[in-house]
Amino acid sequence: MNIKRSFGTLLCALTFLALMASLAVPALATPAEAPEWNEGDKWAYGMEADAGEDLQTEINNLTNQIDEALNDNGVVEADLNDLSLDAGSSIWILFEITEASDEEYVLSMDMAAMLTIDASISITAELPAEGTYEPAELMSADREEITVSANLGFELAITANADVTFDRDTMAVKSVETGFKLTGALDMSAENLPIWLIEMMETTDDDDFNISEMFEEIEVEYTDYDVSAELNIDMAMEIEFVPALNLWDFPLDQGDEWNVSSEATLSGTLTGYLDVTGLPEELEDALFEEISDETGIDSFPIYIEDLDIDDGPFDDGVLEETTEDIELTLQCSSVFMVNDPYWDDITVYEIRVKDTPLKFFYSPDVGFMSYFSMNMNDVDDDMPNEEVRMEAMDPADVEDNIGEINDFQGEIGAEENGMLGFFTDAPYLGAILLAVIAIVIVAAVFLIRKK
């Protein structure tokens, strides 16, 4: 991983957070001067999705395929007991004018997002009893009814807050103070996992391979795992813009295009930890053997501020002052009418950041953003051509939802044990599922290798 490049991306993301809040300037309400904000004004947005429901068709198809394979294998008696996936996500944003003086406005933003995943699979099959076998003995070994199962529960939450200070006369952004908190918890358990079978399948992936030529003996055992993990990261940043970031070119009409240029000076802190319990000793040793030379860390918990990365931007959790140039071109691309579920009939101005997929929808009738929207395919060609939209909502409801995610983060931070991180990468979950589903084809594997 290129640490400098990753940090540059992070700085761009932080700067864009300021820009997102700044684009709320109600300059479009009139073609000449921006209307006034009042202390206590609030706007809120949110969305939630049930990915488990969206995936139910695929889960049903996979269940049918596994059932068919189990029934037709002809050698091993096996039954699928359970295969389920439930996942959900939500994001909530609340804006409020917290200060309105003769010289400045302060726009405060609170954001909270959460992802939850619960997955399980269970198969019962007639498999070789535990013991040590010569390859020729494996097919004739005594069989036992073994239920192999795996369960995963994962929760990831991110919260952010920002205070954006505007010059009242020009509505240019003078500074941003922002904080982020990332929290994750994972619990993963498995019973009777046939690690020996996975290792053998990885070794014998050549169809012409003879199992007797590779293994003198095979140790059959079924292993239980109970792994938990916890991640907690806090980052605070301060950004000052010189000159103040003036995102608006008054008067503004459809088709207008303007350039924005400023220099952002950033400083901040980064703290947190990753802790893991229940990880098999050999896997933990392999992990730290891989990363200890680069990071200086050789055991859990890993404290973020203690990471010793040569080209990292943070030193003992402190970011020394650094400067980034901001160059943007914005365009008022269209104006149209919308029958909004929350605001009813409103006029909407579409604002695009050129050469990016980013666009914003401002309404002079609202005095703020009407909603947020982005097509997933605009972000990445491999993603579906589907619009993701955050609708306006009642600020009180959004404030409650943000509070619930904040409470979750407080609970995770107070616990002594837990986990996240590399376990959530696809290969790990995939390996577990492969281990369980591998029972379906165990007989065929043995027969092929025995030839």
Side-chain angles (χ1 to χ4, degrees):
M1 176 186 295
N2 188 311
I3 299 298
K4 289 183 177 178
R5 180 179 301 171
S6 299
F7 183 66
T9 302
L10 175 61
L11 295 183
C12 291
L14 291 173
T15 302
F16 177 69
L17 176 64
L19 300 182
M20 184 178 72
S22 304
L23 282 167
V25 178
L28 296 177
T30 64
E33 297 182 5
E36 294 185 356
W37 277 335
N38 298 305
E39 187 171 327
D41 288 346
K42 292 183 179 181
W43 304 267
Y45 310 84
M47 62 174 289
E48 52 188 339
D50 184 351
E53 183 177 338
D54 294 339
L55 291 172
Q56 194 56 52
T57 299
E58 285 76 9
I59 293 295
N60 291 340
N61 291 338
L62 181 58
T63 299
N64 292 335
Q65 292 173 11
I66 295 175
D67 280 333
E68 183 178 349
L70 291 172
N71 293 331
D72 294 346
N73 77 82
V75 179
V76 175
E77 293 186 8
D79 295 296
L80 175 66
N81 306 316
D82 173 64
L83 176 63
S84 64
L85 172 65
D86 188 21
S89 62
S90 62
I91 181 170
W92 316 100
I93 303 179
L94 175 67
F95 293 97
E96 181 178 1
I97 304 302
T98 52
E99 294 182 30
S101 68
D102 292 338
E103 293 80 25
E104 295 178 339
Y105 288 119
V106 176
L107 174 67
S108 296
M109 183 200 75
D110 287 309
M111 184 276 287
M114 192 160 186
L115 170 68
T116 60
I117 299 174
D118 289 292
S120 64
I121 186 169
S122 171
I123 292 179
T124 299
E126 297 287 337
L127 294 172
E130 289 191 327
T132 302
Y133 303 91
E134 293 182 1
E137 300 174 329
L138 194 57
M139 287 298 297
S140 60
D142 291 338
R143 303 298 176 97
E144 294 181 353
E145 189 175 84
I146 304 291
T147 297
V148 183
S149 64
N151 299 277
L152 180 143
F154 173 63
E155 296 174 300
L156 178 69
I158 180 170
T159 57
N161 57 78
D163 287 335
V164 184
T165 301
F166 296 87
D167 180 272
R168 180 164 183 152
D169 291 336
T170 64
M171 299 305 292
V173 183
K174 300 169 65 175
S175 64
V176 178
E177 293 184 11
T178 184
F180 293 85
K181 185 178 184 69
L182 175 67
T183 305
L186 181 144
D187 290 298
M188 182 180 68
S189 62
E191 294 184 357
N192 297 321
L193 204 61
I195 301 298
W196 61 275
L197 179 58
I198 299 175
E199 293 175 347
M200 190 170 66
M201 292 178 67
E202 290 177 347
T203 305
T204 61
D205 57 359
D206 184 350
D207 289 343
D208 296 329
F209 184 82
N210 189 314
I211 189 173
S212 299
E213 296 177 355
M214 188 65 184
F215 296 96
E216 294 183 0
E217 59 182 26
I218 299 169
E219 184 175 354
V220 173
E221 59 180 355
Y222 302 94
T223 308
D224 296 341
Y225 291 102
D226 188 4
V227 179
S228 62
E230 179 181 298
L231 178 71
N232 205 322
I233 295 178
D234 288 277
M235 182 170 63
M237 300 290 294
E238 294 184 1
I239 311 172
E240 293 189 1
F241 297 98
V242 178
L245 199 65
N246 193 344
L247 294 175
W248 303 100
D249 183 25
F250 302 110
L252 183 66
D253 289 314
Q254 180 175 344
D256 282 358
E257 184 173 301
W258 63 100
N259 297 318
V260 176
S261 179
S262 183
E263 191 174 76
T265 301
L266 303 93
S267 60
T269 59
L270 178 67
T271 60
Y273 64 88
L274 169 66
D275 196 13
V276 180
T277 60
L279 193 65
E281 183 177 353
E282 62 274 15
L283 184 55
E284 184 170 333
D285 290 342
L287 168 68
F288 287 109
E289 183 178 349
E290 182 73 21
I291 69 172
S292 60
D293 290 342
E294 183 178 350
T295 65
I297 301 296
D298 58 8
S299 65
F300 290 111
I302 297 174
Y303 291 98
I304 305 300
E305 56 269 35
D306 292 341
L307 292 175
D308 182 16
I309 302 176
D310 291 339
D311 60 350
F314 289 89
D315 185 8
D316 294 330
V318 177
L319 170 65
E320 296 297 332
E321 200 170 88
T322 185
T323 300
E324 294 287 328
D325 291 328
I326 307 298
E327 298 288 343
L328 297 173
T329 299
L330 292 94
Q331 181 185 54
C332 179
S333 53
S334 63
V335 181
F336 49 90
M337 294 294 297
V338 169
N339 187 350
D340 187 88
Y342 185 78
W343 301 112
D344 296 326
D345 292 329
I346 56 174
T347 301
V348 173
Y349 288 71
E350 182 181 85
I351 309 298
R352 291 181 176 269
V353 182
K354 293 195 67 176
D355 300 323
T356 79
L358 304 173
K359 54 185 177 181
F360 306 89
F361 300 89
Y362 173 81
S363 173
D365 301 314
V366 175
F368 206 80
M369 298 295 190
S370 56
Y371 55 86
F372 295 92
S373 176
M374 179 178 292
N375 191 302
M376 302 290 287
N377 188 251
D378 290 339
V379 180
D380 191 310
D381 292 339
D382 294 331
M383 300 185 75
N385 186 21
E386 181 178 338
E387 182 187 33
V388 176
R389 179 162 166 161
M390 291 180 61
E391 302 280 5
M393 298 183 65
D394 187 322
D397 293 339
V398 170
E399 194 166 3
D400 289 342
N401 291 327
I402 291 175
E404 291 179 4
I405 296 177
N406 281 327
D407 290 343
F408 163 78
Q409 289 192 321
E411 293 169 3
I412 295 300
E415 294 175 0
E416 294 181 357
N417 297 310
M419 154 179 183
L420 170 89
F422 46 85
F423 286 101
T424 61
D425 291 342
Y428 293 91
L429 180 56
I432 296 172
L433 297 178
L434 175 63
V436 179
I437 297 173
I439 298 172
V440 178
I441 57 173
V442 61
V445 171
F446 288 147
L447 289 174
I448 292 173
R449 302 299 184 244
K450 191 177 179 182
K451 291 180 180 179

